[in-house]
Amino acid sequence: MEKELLYPVTNQYRFDQSLDGLWDFKFDEAAEGQQQGWPQKGLPAAIQMPVPASFNDFFTDKAAREYTGDFWYAKRVFVPRAFQGRVIGLRFGAATHRATVYVNGQEIRQHEGGFLPFTADISSVVKFDQENLVVLKLNNELHRDALPAGDTGVLKNGKKMAKPFFDFYNYSGLNRSVQLMAVPQDRVTDYSVTTTLTATTAEVHYTVTTSQATAKVTVTLQDEQGTVVATGHGRQGTLIVDQPQLWNVRDAHLYTIAIQLTVNDDPVDEYRDQIGLRTIEIVGHQILVNGEPVYLKGFGRHEDSIYAGRAFDLNVEKRDFELMKWMGANSFRTSHYPYDEAVYRFADREGFLIIDEVPAVGFKMAAASFLGGLDQSFFDGEWTTELYKKHLDQITDMVHRDKNHPSVLAWSLLNEPDTSSKSAVPYFEKLFADTQALDPDQRPRTFTLNEDDTFDTSYCKQFPDFYLLNRYPGWYHKWGYEISDGEAGLRAELDKWQASEIDKPVVFSEYGADTQPGLHKLPSVMWSEEYQIELLQMFNRVFDSYDFIRGEQPWNLADFQTVEGNMRVNGNKKGLFTRDRQPKEAAFYLRKRWAGIDNNF
Ligand SMILES: CCCN1C[C@@H](O)[C@H](O)[C@@H](C(=O)O)C1
C-alpha cells in the first residue's frame, strides 16, 4: 500500500474518512519525544492545532513562528469493525518536510519530502471498534542534501533557524488533508491512460495494476452524458472512442473511467476517475495540444495565504482560479513544489495547462549568498549524492501521482539550478536519463533557467524539451531609469537564441516587479503600481518580437510570504494581486493584453 498514490474514494468497496480538524500538537526543541514515550503515551501538555495547516502564523511569539526542529502531532482515531477484512491505511497529503508515523506505539514508516502524499499501512497494528493512537513526529529543518535546499543555523541562544536558499517562507506542518482509508485486499493499486488521435477517433491506451493477480479487470469509459462509449477487458488495452469530445485548453471535456475487478464474477473493487482525451507534443518552436499550437498565458504561483500559511485551502484555490479566468489565463507553473491534488482536478475541469514542478529549488549557492551562503558551484558540493536520491524519489512520486491529469503539460525537474558550471552536467545527464521513462504519456521535461544561466553561460541547455526563462532586468538589475538597458540586454540574449540552431519553444516563467499596492508616482518609481506596468510593458514588447516565445507567466499571481529581509516588505510583493487576492493596477493592464491573445495564437 505504501507506494499507492491513488486519490482516496468512498464506494461500495472502499472507505475514505477525513481526519482533518484539531490534533494534539507539541514542539520538541530537546528532540526528546521518542525517549519520553510520546509515540506510546501521546503528547503531554499538548496544544490544539488545526489540520491541514502550517503552524507558523497562528502564534503571537516569534520563537514559535520561526520554530525549526522536531514537532509532534497526535490524534485518537476510531476504526469501525465494518472496516475489518480490508487493508487499513493512513494517507497524508503532505507532511513538511519529513515525518515518522506511529500507530498504537509502533513505528509504521518514515517519509521525506514535504509536498507529496504518502500512505502508511496500519493493518498489522490497528484495533477495530476502538480508538487508535496516531502519532507523528515531523521535522522542518533545511539541508543542502534535501529538497528544498537550505541550511539550518543555530543562534547563540541555542535556537535553530531555517536558512532557505529559496524565496518562500518555510511554512511547516501537516499542510494537506489526512485520511483514514480502508481498501479491499484485492484491489486496483494504480492505472495510467495515454491518448492517440485519428481523424475520427481517440485511442485510449490503458494499463491497470492490481494488488493480486486473480481478479478479472473490466474498464469502461463514460462520456459527460453518462453513456458508456467504450469497454475494455484485461490489465492492458486500448479503448476506441468515436467522435471523441477532446480535452482542450479552456474548453475541457472529461470522461469517467471505471475500473472494475471481479473474482468468479463477484465484484471485489471499483475505482472511478475523471480523465481528458488529448495529446501534447513539442514540434519545433510550438507547443501543440491535439495538434493545435497553444500560447501559454498564466502565472507562477504559490500555495500561500494568511493564517494557515502553505495549508491547502479550497476557498483560496477557488478564488485563484476565478482570478486566473478573469485575467484570461490558461496555465500556471506549480512553483516551486507539487500542489495539492485538488488543484490539478480544478485545472482538469477548467482546461488549464500545468507545468508541474518538484521542490528542487535553491540548488544554487548564489541564492544562498543572497541569504548568506558560500560562493561555489552548488553541484561541486559533497551533498549532491544524497540530494540526487531524494530528488529522483520526489520526481518519481510527482509523476506517479499526477500522470493521469490532462491538465499536466510538462514536468519541471528543477527551479533555477546553477548550470553555469560544468559540474552540473553529470547530475543533469543522470536526472534526465532516469526520468525519461517515468511518465507513460512522455510529457516534455524542463527546468527554469535563472538570470545567470543565459544562452552563453548555461552548460545544460541540451537537456530540456522546451525552455523556461526566469529573467529580471528592470528589477534585480538595470532597474528604474536603466530599464531601457535591461530591455537591450534581454533582446541581445534572445537574438542569440534566435540565431542558434535551437529549435525548441521558449516560455518566460518569471519576470516582475515588487509593487506596494496603492503606491502611485508620476513619473514612476520602483515599487509603484505604475512601474509594475512599465516593466510588464517592456517584457511584452520583447515577447512580441520573437516568434519562438510561446508563453508568458509573470511572477507572481499573488503576493506571498518569505523570510524577513532587507529586500522584502513582509514578503514578496511581485503579485499581480495582493495576498488577500485583490487586483493591483497591473492586473487590469495584463488582462487587456491577454484578451487580445488567443489560446491557440
Ligand atoms: C532570479 C530569481 C528567481 N526567482 C525565484 C522566485 O522564487 C523568487 O520569488 C523571485 C523573486 O525574487 O521575486 C526570483
PDB file of all heavy atoms in Angstrom, residues 197 279 281 288-293:
ATOM      1  N   LEU A 197      -4.727  10.130 -31.297  1.00  0.00           N
ATOM      2  CA  LEU A 197      -5.896  10.602 -32.048  1.00  0.00           C
ATOM      3  C   LEU A 197      -5.807  10.190 -33.499  1.00  0.00           C
ATOM      4  O   LEU A 197      -4.732  10.185 -34.100  1.00  0.00           O
ATOM      5  CB  LEU A 197      -5.984  12.143 -31.950  1.00  0.00           C
ATOM      6  CG  LEU A 197      -6.107  12.740 -30.540  1.00  0.00           C
ATOM      7  CD1 LEU A 197      -6.141  14.269 -30.613  1.00  0.00           C
ATOM      8  CD2 LEU A 197      -7.348  12.211 -29.831  1.00  0.00           C
ATOM      9  N   THR A 279      -3.730  15.125 -26.710  1.00  0.00           N
ATOM     10  CA  THR A 279      -2.312  14.820 -26.936  1.00  0.00           C
ATOM     11  C   THR A 279      -1.492  16.087 -26.711  1.00  0.00           C
ATOM     12  O   THR A 279      -2.016  17.205 -26.862  1.00  0.00           O
ATOM     13  CB  THR A 279      -2.080  14.356 -28.397  1.00  0.00           C
ATOM     14  OG1 THR A 279      -2.481  15.431 -29.263  1.00  0.00           O
ATOM     15  CG2 THR A 279      -2.840  13.085 -28.692  1.00  0.00           C
ATOM     16  N   GLU A 281       2.407  17.694 -27.725  1.00  0.00           N
ATOM     17  CA  GLU A 281       3.651  17.499 -28.493  1.00  0.00           C
ATOM     18  C   GLU A 281       4.440  18.802 -28.490  1.00  0.00           C
ATOM     19  O   GLU A 281       3.849  19.885 -28.419  1.00  0.00           O
ATOM     20  CB  GLU A 281       3.345  17.150 -29.962  1.00  0.00           C
ATOM     21  CG  GLU A 281       2.560  15.886 -30.218  1.00  0.00           C
ATOM     22  CD  GLU A 281       1.974  15.927 -31.618  1.00  0.00           C
ATOM     23  OE1 GLU A 281       2.675  15.473 -32.547  1.00  0.00           O
ATOM     24  OE2 GLU A 281       0.856  16.454 -31.778  1.00  0.00           O
ATOM     25  N   LEU A 288       2.076  21.942 -28.854  1.00  0.00           N
ATOM     26  CA  LEU A 288       0.822  21.556 -29.504  1.00  0.00           C
ATOM     27  C   LEU A 288      -0.050  20.755 -28.547  1.00  0.00           C
ATOM     28  O   LEU A 288       0.431  19.839 -27.881  1.00  0.00           O
ATOM     29  CB  LEU A 288       1.098  20.697 -30.741  1.00  0.00           C
ATOM     30  CG  LEU A 288       2.032  21.266 -31.828  1.00  0.00           C
ATOM     31  CD1 LEU A 288       2.171  20.257 -32.982  1.00  0.00           C
ATOM     32  CD2 LEU A 288       1.522  22.602 -32.336  1.00  0.00           C
ATOM     33  N   VAL A 289      -1.312  21.103 -28.462  1.00  0.00           N
ATOM     34  CA  VAL A 289      -2.319  20.296 -27.754  1.00  0.00           C
ATOM     35  C   VAL A 289      -3.321  19.857 -28.821  1.00  0.00           C
ATOM     36  O   VAL A 289      -3.889  20.694 -29.524  1.00  0.00           O
ATOM     37  CB  VAL A 289      -3.021  21.104 -26.637  1.00  0.00           C
ATOM     38  CG1 VAL A 289      -4.151  20.284 -26.015  1.00  0.00           C
ATOM     39  CG2 VAL A 289      -2.017  21.530 -25.568  1.00  0.00           C
ATOM     40  N   ASN A 290      -3.467  18.541 -28.963  1.00  0.00           N
ATOM     41  CA  ASN A 290      -4.321  17.982 -30.019  1.00  0.00           C
ATOM     42  C   ASN A 290      -3.930  18.529 -31.398  1.00  0.00           C
ATOM     43  O   ASN A 290      -4.783  18.847 -32.235  1.00  0.00           O
ATOM     44  CB  ASN A 290      -5.799  18.279 -29.727  1.00  0.00           C
ATOM     45  CG  ASN A 290      -6.240  17.719 -28.385  1.00  0.00           C
ATOM     46  OD1 ASN A 290      -5.699  16.688 -27.942  1.00  0.00           O
ATOM     47  ND2 ASN A 290      -7.156  18.381 -27.713  1.00  0.00           N
ATOM     48  N   GLY A 291      -2.631  18.722 -31.570  1.00  0.00           N
ATOM     49  CA  GLY A 291      -2.100  19.158 -32.867  1.00  0.00           C
ATOM     50  C   GLY A 291      -2.213  20.646 -33.113  1.00  0.00           C
ATOM     51  O   GLY A 291      -1.732  21.165 -34.113  1.00  0.00           O
ATOM     52  N   GLU A 292      -2.838  21.365 -32.174  1.00  0.00           N
ATOM     53  CA  GLU A 292      -3.005  22.821 -32.321  1.00  0.00           C
ATOM     54  C   GLU A 292      -1.966  23.560 -31.474  1.00  0.00           C
ATOM     55  O   GLU A 292      -1.754  23.192 -30.303  1.00  0.00           O
ATOM     56  CB  GLU A 292      -4.396  23.235 -31.796  1.00  0.00           C
ATOM     57  CG  GLU A 292      -5.552  22.797 -32.678  1.00  0.00           C
ATOM     58  CD  GLU A 292      -5.565  23.569 -33.997  1.00  0.00           C
ATOM     59  OE1 GLU A 292      -5.456  24.823 -33.959  1.00  0.00           O
ATOM     60  OE2 GLU A 292      -5.616  22.925 -35.051  1.00  0.00           O
ATOM     61  N   PRO A 293      -1.320  24.616 -32.004  1.00  0.00           N
ATOM     62  CA  PRO A 293      -0.371  25.378 -31.178  1.00  0.00           C
ATOM     63  C   PRO A 293      -1.100  26.075 -30.038  1.00  0.00           C
ATOM     64  O   PRO A 293      -2.251  26.515 -30.207  1.00  0.00           O
ATOM     65  CB  PRO A 293       0.217  26.399 -32.150  1.00  0.00           C
ATOM     66  CG  PRO A 293      -0.705  26.459 -33.301  1.00  0.00           C
ATOM     67  CD  PRO A 293      -1.442  25.173 -33.365  1.00  0.00           C
TER      68      PRO A 293
END
